Amino acid sequence: MKSKAAYLTPYFLWIALFVIAPMALILYQSFFSITGHFTFANYEEYLSSSVYLKMTFNSIWYALIITVLALAISYPTAYLINQLKNKQLWLLLIILPTWINLLLKTYAFIGLFSQNGSVNDFLRFVGLGSHQILFTDASFIFVATYIEIPFMILPIFNSLDELNPSLINASRDLGASNWQTFRRVIVPLTMPGVKAGFQAVFIPSLSLFMITRLIGGNRVITLGTAIEEHFLVTQNWGMGSTIGIILILAMFVVMFLTRDRKNRGGQIR
Amino acid sequence: MKKLMIILAGILALCLVLFGINYEINLKSGSDTKKTLTIYNWGDYIDPSLITKFEHETGYHVDYETFDSNEAMLTKIKQGGTSYDLTVPSDYTVQRMRRQHLVDKLDKSKLPGLRNIDSRFMNLTFDPHNDYSVPYFWGTLGIVYNDKFVKRSQVEHWKQLWNPQFKNDIMLTDSARDMMAVALITLGYSVNSTNYHHLQQASQKLDQLAPNTKAVVADEIKMYMEQNEAPIAVTYSGEAAEMMSQNSHLHYVVPSEGSNMWFDNWVIPKTAKHKKAAYMFLNFMLEPKNAAQNAEYIGYSTPNKAAMKYLPSNVRNDKEFYPDNSTVAHLQVYRDLPLKVIGHYNDLFLEFKMFKK
């Protein structure tokens, strides 16, 4: 018992210092107005201002689109990689871009999407003429999805990899078609991976901020942008913290909805 | 229990080591009082050869540290523990630092070079009688246009930005104060207005600019304009000078009906340790030849009247960077507004950014 406590001490210290203390500080800050008085006005303003409510809606909406697109691309990709011979190598190739700094990747997209960028060069070459690609919703969603895809593929790939092939053989032996096997056996058994991927993509997407400015040209405003603004420009730390608290709450809601439900029918652990 | 003790001892030892290193560093920077001058300035905001020259002339060693926003600088100085001898806040930040007692009153008898400064740029509202600050550079807010797409006559006034022909063409600077100023000036109000109705009107006016707005960006504006990404941008003269040196199709206009005029100024923080060196450096920078060399290197407008004759004539006579008196008379300097009002400016600007075209 004693030795267990000894092993756990650093973890408890870590969690207390770097998880609980910062969250407590954010909560504390959120009760102060810009002039430094204790108040609930930040929450009142947040819940009554059409600007913040619209921003919340926008954030959730964009995060949802990004997550769904990432899932639509990642699941088949993970499935295909899992069928390949050198799957670890292929997986490595997919993970590789995450080693590059996020900002650098975003800047690369500015080069690709700008008026004289490669994409417009190509469009002009095939006779479609140049288009405004940067600063549109579509380019923002494209870049955000691109950046999030590896975080979706990894957990799905792992759950597919862990899948016992004899279960699929059993399904076939019992007369299920390919589609039925996929629907009734593979999808339910890889649900934990999908949920983990959903968490890993949806939550960071809610608070994206650099991409909204660099690729979205601040025409897409998410909660992350507002937090950045309040801390760095407005110096209204109270309101920034309030939005932070809302994001933390949103995170808990997502975690709760995508939690692993144990002891349910159909799930083999 | 033994393991627990070992781990606790380990953590304590680590803390002690870090504490020791920290103490050592403080001791070093503290005891090194004789021959160093610590300057806290914006990044790339001085000609480095002038620093070398100053070091040669006086024997002082210059430590040059940089910041990228007034707010960041203010926070760091407010927290204390720093020993910057000179720093360079913008106009409204000078006012705020004065109010928060963060800067030292200047002993003007030690600053003979101050008489070189143009009287138009002395004694301004953010620091009456220049008791605390020495003007370093000044500039304006204006319109950059690309002559490949737009003629000068199309963008000489703020109200022309609302012209429907510029749909999705304009890049704006991501700054609440500046963009609200554009709307306020267009409506004929002061850029320091605290009147609720004026601000509400300005906010509506700004929302109408949304269809013409291509993007609201910060430093990237330079890169985009250099790459011909947009025909028009609203930005500061200093940024404009940098863009124009990269792309000869770009030009800068200060609308004659008025605009913001900004100042970056030297101040001596209360925490300064080498005040004598700070005064020496200020006088060194006020010397006309040095000021001219610096202005040529940075590309911003110098307030040093005596330095003008050392500048190349094409720079000196550039109406956009050294506008004539009738335009200067219409330029307004930002005052530090009450936090509540600044909050209001920011909320209205955020609303504009949320406004869908």
Side-chain angles (χ1 to χ4, degrees), chain A residues 49-59 221, chain B residues 351 354-356:
Chain A
S49 137
S50 61
V51 176
Y52 286 118
L53 291 179
K54 208 172 128 194
M55 197 187 304
T56 314
F57 176 80
N58 274 353
S59 296
I221 300 283
Chain B
E351 218 177 297
M354 299 277 303
F355 197 86
K356 280 280 157 195

Side-chain angles (χ1 to χ4, degrees), chain A residues 107 110 134-135 209-221 229, chain B residues 170-176 178-179 213-225 229-230 232-236 239 243 349 352-353:
Chain A
Y107 268 95
I110 293 178
L134 273 180
F135 316 127
F209 68 96
M210 271 326 272
I211 307 173
T212 55
R213 194 176 90 195
L214 292 170
I215 303 287
N218 266 334
R219 305 310 312 266
V220 179
I221 300 283
E229 185 110 331
Chain B
I170 305 173
M171 289 213 164
L172 300 178
T173 298
D174 189 7
S175 150
D178 294 314
M179 292 309 116
T213 308
K214 190 187 200 86
V216 186
V217 283
D219 288 341
E220 308 90 65
I221 225 169
K222 272 188 284 195
M223 175 180 72
Y224 288 132
M225 289 306 286
E229 183 72 28
I232 304 170
V234 177
T235 188
Y236 317 108
E239 301 270 296
M243 294 175 208
F349 186 58
F352 160 69
K353 288 204 269 181

Side-chain angles (χ1 to χ4, degrees), chain A residues 166-221:
Chain A
S166 54
L167 289 173
I168 295 166
N169 292 336
S171 162
R172 294 257 168 77
D173 286 348
L174 292 170
S177 67
N178 276 348
W179 172 245
Q180 280 172 322
T181 307
F182 181 72
R183 271 253 5 202
R184 306 272 175 184
V185 179
I186 299 176
V187 170
L189 285 177
T190 52
M191 245 1 230
V194 172
K195 282 174 176 173
F198 194 92
Q199 289 175 2
V201 171
F202 186 80
I203 294 166
S205 302
L206 267 181
S207 54
L208 281 174
F209 68 96
M210 271 326 272
I211 307 173
T212 55
R213 194 176 90 195
L214 292 170
I215 303 287
N218 266 334
R219 305 310 312 266
V220 179
I221 300 283

Side-chain angles (χ1 to χ4, degrees), chain A residues 25 28 35 42 50 54 56 66 83 91 98 101 115 130 136 150-151 171 177 180 195 198 205 210 244 260 264-265:
Chain A
L25 271 176
Y28 174 78
T35 46
N42 291 327
S50 61
K54 208 172 128 194
T56 314
I66 292 165
Q83 312 284 319
L91 193 66
T98 57
N101 184 294
Q115 286 292 346
S130 53
T136 57
F151 303 105
S171 162
S177 67
Q180 280 172 322
K195 282 174 176 173
F198 194 92
S205 302
M210 271 326 272
D260 250 345
R264 277 278 199 93

